[in-house]
Amino acid sequence: MADPKYETQAVTGGDDTPSPRRSGRRNFVSTAAALGAAALALPSRAKADALNVAVLPPDIPPWTTQQGTPILTPPYGVPSAFEKKVVRHPHSRGVFRSEASSVTPLQDLHGVITPAGLHFERYHAGVPQIDPTLHRLIVHGQVERPLVFTMQDLLRFPSVSRTYFLECSGNTPGWTKGNPNATVADTHGLLSCSEWTGIPLAALLTEVGVLSSAHWVLAEGADAAAMTRSFPIEKAFDDALLAYAQNGEMLRPEQGYPLRLFLPGFEGNMSVKWLRRLKLGDEPFESREETSKYTDLMQDGRARQFTFVMEAKSVITSPSGGQHLDGPGFYEIRGIAWSGRGRITHAEISTDGGRSWKNAQLQEPVLAKCLTRFTLPWHWDGKPAVLQSRVRDETGYWQPTHAELVAARGLNSGYHYNGIHSWNVGADGAVTNDG
Ligand SMILES: Nc1nc2c(c(=O)[nH]1)N[C@H]1C(S)=C(S)[C@@H](COP(=O)(O)O)O[C@H]1N2
Ligand SMILES: [Mo]
């Protein structure tokens, strides 16, 4: 479809003889009317007038009459200058610091892949700048042959590429009522999805030889936080990766360059970045990040520990907090869904705050432990509406309501919130967060 910015303009000049282009335009206008013209971008005649240039059909815009920017400028491509607002923002604290996180602007993205430069970031002691030629991975503990690998060694192993989401277990401050001005980045932005390339951890463990007494693996990062977590050996032989590339290029420094552990579907914290050590043992290692942190305090004062899996969750990204509907008419409701247990099998959308639900269309491909897009055509009648989505995964688990989550886990924990999220649409078209 042509850019509506041009197509909704009145054609100036020329005679009245119908031409293919004009009848094309007429068809387009009738489609536009059917969709509700308000859903389309408004013409920018005023802007063109202000610039004193003729850019709209049938005039020829200046970018058609002059040579464009030469190739290789800059040598590493960047988004259009008109997309400058699509960036990561610091999470909650309002400033970038070494003990910090930044969020992915999910409301401005399309498809399921997060561009590397927009992948959320979470680090406990800043981003180390590691020379890959000086980086080593040591594998020791209950193994037959303790070994130290260089990056060159690791790149020679057979590799795989898999598309997986990564979500921080602290994503979504849903336990308490949210800020009405929050966007999806604010509520769900500690979530991204990439194609990760690396070595199946199983292949590396086969190389060192696992002793039968080994049931747990400790992973340690080379950053100043020396982030350290334990995970069961079953995960190592299931789908754990030693990832060195992301969306076709080597990892970004923020994502763990030159090597990170990647545990698909598990809470983000366990995917240790800047990975320098794996130790095999018969028990979990009880590191700081799996005892005093990343445990979930329950209502009765006891804490859940080793809550690895990120459960099925979804959020509507359009229309969503901070956006504005330009009057009644057609809108496509769009959202993303994911589950750490496997594939998403159902997505439903409510426009009346959960009183009634409609099946949304899952957009292919539907991959396990990966973001899945879902959509639903919607005609907004201009009245206040409450938009919600809920999803089910292949285990039959349904994304819970806030009330169900609170009943099961109380209100002491800040982690693992996957409740149904609501956006309010006001009669004026303003979309606000309802938590
Ligand atoms: N070495 C190391 N690994 C780490 C962290 C860290 O601070 N240091 N942060 C963890 C946390 S809490 C999360 S949510 C993920 C975030 O990964 P990302 O920055 O690539 O999004 O990395 C995890 N791995
Ligand atoms: Mo995290």
Side-chain angles (χ1 to χ4, degrees):
M1 192 188 282
D3 188 332
K5 184 167 70 188
Y6 302 129
E7 293 296 332
T8 50
Q9 275 303 304
V11 174
T12 54
D15 60 31
D16 289 324
T17 320
S19 69
R21 187 181 67 204
R22 291 202 180 179
S23 54
R25 177 184 166 271
R26 212 170 278 140
N27 287 342
F28 179 82
V29 169
S30 56
T31 319
L35 291 175
L40 301 169
L42 294 172
S44 60
R45 169 63 77 192
K47 199 169 167 187
D49 285 348
L51 292 169
N52 198 22
V53 288
V55 296
L56 305 174
D59 292 317
I60 309 291
W63 46 84
T64 306
T65 59
Q66 294 159 22
Q67 295 285 317
T69 315
I71 201 163
L72 294 179
T73 315
Y76 192 100
V78 294
S80 160
F82 297 97
E83 301 295 329
K84 281 214 168 85
K85 280 191 296 204
V86 184
V87 290
R88 297 186 282 222
H89 289 287
H91 185 52
S92 60
R93 294 165 207 266
V95 283
F96 285 109
R97 326 185 320 174
S98 65
E99 202 287 295
S101 46
S102 72
V103 291
T104 296
L106 295 166
Q107 68 278 11
D108 296 321
L109 299 186
H110 309 274
V112 299
I113 297 290
T114 309
L118 296 176
H119 196 286
F120 85 92
E121 303 162 274
R122 173 75 180 106
Y123 24 79
H124 295 68
V127 180
Q129 302 298 327
I130 299 180
D131 177 342
T133 64
L134 301 179
H135 188 70
R136 297 291 182 274
L137 172 68
I138 177 169
V139 187
H140 68 135
Q142 299 185 359
V143 297
E144 285 163 13
R145 292 173 294 279
L147 285 174
V148 176
F149 297 91
T150 64
M151 284 307 295
Q152 233 177 341
D153 296 334
L154 295 172
L155 286 160
R156 290 181 60 187
F157 272 80
S159 65
V160 294
S161 298
R162 302 267 187 273
T163 309
Y164 293 126
F165 76 83
L166 184 71
E167 183 183 20
C168 175
S169 54
N171 196 26
T172 312
W175 295 103
T176 50
K177 200 76 184 157
N179 171 357
N181 299 322
T183 65
V184 191
D186 299 321
T187 59
H188 292 74
L190 294 172
L191 165 78
S192 303
C193 186
S194 300
E195 184 203 64
W196 303 97
T197 297
I199 310 157
L201 181 51
L204 191 99
L205 292 184
T206 304
E207 190 68 19
V208 295
V210 176
L211 297 180
S212 59
S213 56
H215 299 296
W216 286 79
V217 185
L218 178 80
E220 184 187 272
D223 55 333
M227 174 63 60
T228 314
R229 288 290 307 254
S230 314
F231 61 97
I233 195 120
E234 291 75 24
K235 187 67 172 172
F237 283 100
D238 179 10
D239 54 5
L241 287 181
L242 297 178
Y244 48 75
Q246 171 190 5
N247 298 340
E249 57 187 359
M250 293 303 278
L251 294 174
R252 292 289 169 93
E254 310 90 285
Q255 265 67 61
Y257 183 88
L259 187 70
R260 91 177 295 166
L261 176 65
F262 198 94
L263 300 181
F266 279 16
E267 61 183 9
N269 183 263
M270 304 180 70
S271 284
V272 172
K273 301 188 279 189
W274 313 294
L275 183 71
R276 67 179 290 268
R277 186 162 77 102
L278 292 172
K279 183 176 185 183
L280 280 75
D282 49 2
E283 289 186 324
F285 291 77
E286 307 288 356
S287 72
R288 172 184 179 270
E289 310 300 331
E290 56 204 25
T291 49
S292 90
K293 307 287 175 196
Y294 299 98
T295 52
D296 313 307
L297 190 58
M298 297 291 101
Q299 206 56 42
D300 64 4
R302 293 186 302 162
R304 299 196 308 171
Q305 193 186 17
F306 301 131
T307 44
F308 302 140
V309 178
M310 301 307 293
E311 306 226 68
K313 186 165 167 182
S314 69
V315 66
I316 291 170
T317 52
S318 179
S320 65
Q323 296 179 346
H324 194 273
L325 304 188
D326 291 327
F330 173 80
Y331 293 88
E332 181 176 68
I333 301 178
R334 301 176 183 147
I336 46 176
W338 63 102
S339 165
R341 295 200 191 277
R343 283 180 186 75
I344 293 294
T345 54
H346 287 80
E348 295 185 349
I349 287 176
S350 173
T351 56
D352 56 14
R355 278 190 293 280
S356 66
W357 295 89
K358 284 202 174 84
N359 275 332
Q361 176 79 43
L362 298 182
Q363 303 293 320
E364 295 191 341
V366 178
L367 303 174
K369 306 175 188 179
C370 179
L371 292 192
T372 298
R373 281 260 164 206
F374 59 87
T375 56
L376 180 75
W378 180 46
H379 187 93
W380 182 45
D381 59 9
K383 300 197 183 103
V386 180
L387 308 183
Q388 297 184 340
S389 64
R390 65 179 185 194
V391 294
R392 197 178 85 181
D393 68 18
E394 60 181 295
T395 69
Y397 172 92
W398 274 106
Q399 181 181 5
T401 62
H402 175 85
E404 286 165 343
L405 268 177
V406 173
R409 297 208 218 130
L411 282 168
N412 289 337
S413 170
Y415 298 117
H416 288 278
Y417 185 85
N418 66 326
I420 293 171
H421 196 86
S422 305
W423 302 114
N424 290 325
V425 179
D428 59 355
V431 187
T432 51
N433 178 33
D434 191 33

